[in-house]
Amino acid sequence: MSGTEPQSLRAAVRGAVRLRDCLALAVVPAVALAVFALPPGARESLAFAYRDPTLATAYTAHFVHFEVDHLAANLLGYALLVGFGYVLAALAGCRRLFGAAAATYVVAFPFALSGLNLAVPRDAIGYGLSGVNMAFAGLLGLVLVAYAGRLDPRIRARHAPAAFFAAVAVVSLVALPVGRLAFALAGASVLLAAAYAAAARTAWRSSAPRPDLGRGWVDAGVLGAVAFLGYPFVGFPAPSPVAGVVVNRYVHLLGFCLGFLVPYVAVLAGAFDAPPADADRGFLTD
């Protein structure tokens, strides 16, 4: 932004956020609430039975909930992850990237996550929005780096795995039993995150014009980072005390990893009309 007056975060949010985008993103919780209003028997018919899978229930199961607490937790997680992700993406100028990823998560990921669940044979049913939520958690890591690039143009798309591996380190310590395996995976993830961070630090030695931004821009990024690194504690909780209910950590991890990798690879591949040679120079603008 030219001139001497810093750009206000509040004004930037008002200018970047679109009502039509918010309405589109609100469709998911609206559908989940509508499904919850159905009789229990109807909801059971929409859940994904691993011993009797169907293409229809592979999709519908991700909108099914049987307990108010489960529904409320998933809707709150969706609002948190999608809210932070969308606002930061809009401010970073990569709204189209966020929109394409969100559409993929809602339309295609339910089928993919249900299908991959069949790799672990079991006599159970799967349901809930958590896998899709975890995909948005993975996307938030990518968006955070895009937002950081808005604050400092020397931060590029190729540095995004630093955020991903930092979150994997947290997941390793939260999701796995305390022991050598958990610490080994966490340690390896920290080393990989540090390697990408070191590459970013090398890039910081170069000179680049920085935008004149007002107060609150860094705080917004910090809040997004707290949500990103804190959500694994919600997505990978301790075993449920409710008899017969098991948190599907496998599908949560799949959702998180695919949620990051799919848009990250798309950016590096030069999707969204970006020249492949320039794919690592920054995130796409609207």
Side-chain angles (χ1 to χ4, degrees):
M1 180 178 178
S2 60
T4 58
E5 185 177 349
Q7 184 180 15
S8 164
L9 176 64
R10 182 175 299 179
V13 170
R14 287 198 300 266
V17 172
R18 303 285 185 268
L19 176 60
R20 64 178 181 271
D21 297 340
C22 297
L23 292 175
L25 293 171
V27 169
V28 170
V31 171
L33 287 169
V35 171
F36 190 73
L38 296 174
R43 278 179 276 164
E44 288 181 8
S45 69
L46 297 177
F48 187 67
Y50 298 134
R51 291 292 179 88
D52 185 24
T54 68
L55 189 62
T57 58
Y59 185 84
T60 59
H62 295 268
F63 299 92
V64 172
H65 300 82
F66 294 102
E67 302 293 336
V68 174
D69 292 348
H70 186 205
L71 174 66
N74 275 345
L75 293 185
L76 180 60
Y78 179 88
L80 177 72
L81 295 169
V82 173
F84 270 117
Y86 173 72
V87 171
L88 294 179
L91 292 172
C94 57
R95 187 189 296 107
R96 288 191 298 115
L97 174 63
F98 183 90
T104 301
Y105 300 162
V106 174
V107 174
F109 268 38
F111 295 110
L113 295 176
S114 295
L116 291 170
N117 252 316
L118 297 178
V120 182
R122 70 193 100 175
D123 186 11
I125 61 171
Y127 56 91
L129 194 61
S130 300
V132 174
N133 277 356
M134 290 305 299
F136 279 103
L139 178 60
L140 180 56
L142 189 64
V143 168
L144 277 170
V145 179
Y147 184 77
R150 174 73 172 86
L151 304 181
D152 189 335
R154 294 173 295 183
I155 299 176
R156 310 289 176 80
R158 62 177 180 270
H159 302 141
F164 173 76
F165 286 115
V168 171
V170 176
V171 170
S172 300
L173 296 176
V174 171
L176 296 176
V178 176
R180 293 182 179 178
L181 178 60
F183 289 117
L185 289 176
S189 298
V190 168
L191 290 176
L192 289 170
Y196 279 99
R201 184 177 180 182
T202 300
W204 292 342
R205 296 173 184 172
S206 63
S207 60
R210 300 185 186 182
D212 189 9
L213 303 175
R215 296 178 58 184
W217 284 82
V218 173
D219 294 340
V222 170
L223 288 174
V226 170
F228 174 62
L229 294 176
Y231 198 76
F233 291 92
V234 177
F236 299 93
S240 172
V242 181
V245 177
V246 178
V247 175
N248 193 339
R249 298 183 178 187
Y250 169 68
V251 77
H252 291 190
L253 182 61
L254 284 174
F256 176 75
C257 293
L258 292 175
F260 175 85
L261 291 173
V262 169
Y264 176 67
V265 171
V267 169
L268 294 188
F272 308 101
D273 301 323
D278 296 333
D280 68 342
R281 294 178 58 188
F283 283 77
L284 305 175
T285 56
D286 294 322

